[in-house]
Amino acid sequence: MSDYLDAAARLSPRAARIALQTLLTADVSRVPTEWCEASAIALYARAAPVSDLTPDDWVTVASAARPSVGWIAARAETTEQANARLWFIGIRLDAEQHRLSRL
């Protein structure tokens, strides 16, 4: 988990804002609550200077939240959008591995 907090601190402010919005809107039922809370705080602190998301940013949020449409965003996303999407997908995959290791 600490790797994701460090990664959140290294994201650009816009990438952190996109990742935060994705974390708040996506299905994170399999991500431990404490991971979500700690990540949201770290992302919020990093994203503070960014006001609004662009329509293209919202496509990235939707694609990270729903991997079945991820190919749409991946075709034209910026580096910041890709970093945010990959951060979110990574934390969700690690949470799944963590859950399975505890079975």
Side-chain angles (χ1 to χ4, degrees):
M1 179 61 214
S2 65
D3 292 342
Y4 286 97
L5 296 178
D6 292 339
R10 289 190 310 270
L11 288 173
S12 71
R14 177 156 301 282
R17 176 74 168 89
I18 296 166
L20 175 63
Q21 189 62 48
T22 304
L23 187 68
L24 295 175
T25 58
D27 176 19
V28 290
S29 59
R30 293 180 180 233
V31 179
T33 303
E34 60 273 14
W35 290 22
C36 291
E37 290 176 0
S39 296
I41 292 167
L43 291 169
Y44 182 78
R46 184 70 178 137
V50 178
S51 57
D52 293 329
L53 296 177
T54 67
D56 289 339
D57 295 338
W58 283 105
V59 171
T60 300
V61 169
S63 72
R66 295 167 199 85
S68 61
V69 296
W71 63 273
I72 296 171
R75 293 181 62 188
E77 67 187 3
T78 66
T79 302
E80 291 173 323
Q81 293 166 342
N83 289 340
R85 183 174 51 83
L86 293 173
W87 181 90
F88 178 75
I89 290 169
I91 197 168
R92 193 163 53 184
L93 289 174
D94 276 3
E96 184 66 19
Q97 289 176 349
H98 175 74
R99 187 185 71 80
L100 292 175
S101 71
R102 300 181 78 196
L103 295 178

